[in-house]
Amino acid sequence: MQRVTAHDESRWQELGGGQRRQVRSYDEHLMLVEVNFDDGAVGALHSHPHTQISYVLSGSFSYEIEGTTYELNPGDSIVVEGGRTHGCACKSAGTLLDIFTPAREDFLSH
Amino acid sequence: MQRVTAHDESRWQELGGGQRRQVRSYDEHLMLVEVNFDDGAVGALHSHPHTQISYVLSGSFSYEIEGTTYELNPGDSIVVEGGRTHGCACKSAGTLLDIFTPAREDFLSH
């Protein structure tokens, strides 16, 4: 568990492809993650059993779920049920808050 | 389920005591809620079985969990395990993103 966290520019984990991640507060059931995208970066289509909500802190994104695309701007949010194929393309550099249930244990092993 | 949502000033639900809520994207497993506080408003101590993360979008808050107080500012986040007594006092008017697993069905019945 990681109880209280602040954004920390020194804690970005580089993911390649113009993307970087910062795991924030979590316990086993719930995890908050910041994901920063360069202009034009693409979060490839993928799926996982975890339910996810993405909230746009800054920037703009084309967000695809199972073939349907949603245009998201700051303050917008979207829910992705577990198992649904999803991805996003960054239209203007910015940061998503991604929230997962249960926690993404795979994010802690790297 | 409510897939994609935007912040909407017309959708605040007044809670009294200088607080108002806006339920955002959710499915049965995960729910995002905005809670806005006036300067000095107090979110009374309470508990629920849902795990919760709060993320400070704006303002500042003294956030208490089981007798320990944390000072939170914009960009800070905190996790509250299910069943833990918690509450907050708003030190400077602003908005929390509260995320719950599972969804707060009780927020949908009002």
Side-chain angles (χ1 to χ4, degrees):
Chain A
M1 195 189 70
Q2 193 158 267
R3 167 84 69 202
V4 176
T5 63
H7 176 83
D8 182 344
E9 281 295 316
S10 73
R11 290 189 60 245
W12 285 121
Q13 174 192 356
E14 287 295 335
L15 303 176
Q19 299 168 59
R20 48 208 68 80
R21 174 194 301 149
Q22 189 163 150
V23 175
R24 299 287 307 271
S25 298
Y26 67 90
D27 76 350
E28 63 183 310
H29 300 296
L30 193 58
M31 175 181 277
L32 177 69
V33 179
E34 283 181 90
V35 190
N36 179 258
F37 296 79
D38 290 344
D39 203 348
V42 175
L45 290 170
H46 67 293
S47 70
H48 44 67
H50 314 69
T51 299
Q52 174 176 345
I53 286 176
S54 293
Y55 175 91
V56 183
L57 275 183
S58 59
S60 61
F61 298 84
S62 287
Y63 203 108
E64 180 180 332
I65 302 176
E66 299 281 353
T68 301
T69 300
Y70 306 88
E71 301 301 329
L72 302 183
N73 295 297
D76 293 348
S77 64
I78 189 167
V79 63
V80 184
E81 307 100 303
R84 300 286 180 104
T85 298
H86 61 288
C88 70
C90 178
K91 299 302 193 185
S92 172
T95 299
L96 297 178
L97 286 181
D98 283 351
I99 304 113
F100 301 94
T101 183
R104 291 291 300 265
E105 297 288 344
D106 51 319
F107 286 177
L108 301 176
S109 57
H110 300 289
Chain B
M1 193 189 73
Q2 193 158 266
R3 167 84 69 203
V4 175
T5 63
H7 176 82
D8 182 343
E9 280 295 315
S10 74
R11 289 189 61 246
W12 284 122
Q13 175 192 357
E14 287 294 336
L15 303 175
Q19 299 168 58
R20 49 206 68 79
R21 174 195 299 149
Q22 189 162 149
V23 174
R24 298 287 307 271
S25 298
Y26 67 90
D27 76 350
E28 64 184 308
H29 300 296
L30 194 58
M31 175 181 276
L32 178 69
V33 179
E34 283 181 89
V35 190
N36 179 258
F37 295 78
D38 290 343
D39 203 348
V42 174
L45 290 169
H46 66 293
S47 71
H48 44 66
H50 314 69
T51 299
Q52 175 176 346
I53 286 176
S54 293
Y55 176 91
V56 183
L57 275 183
S58 59
S60 61
F61 298 84
S62 288
Y63 202 107
E64 181 180 333
I65 303 176
E66 299 280 353
T68 301
T69 301
Y70 306 88
E71 301 301 328
L72 302 183
N73 295 298
D76 292 348
S77 64
I78 189 166
V79 63
V80 185
E81 307 100 302
R84 300 288 179 103
T85 299
H86 61 288
C88 70
C90 179
K91 299 304 192 183
S92 172
T95 300
L96 297 178
L97 285 181
D98 283 350
I99 304 112
F100 301 94
T101 183
R104 291 291 299 264
E105 297 288 345
D106 52 318
F107 285 177
L108 300 177
S109 57
H110 299 288

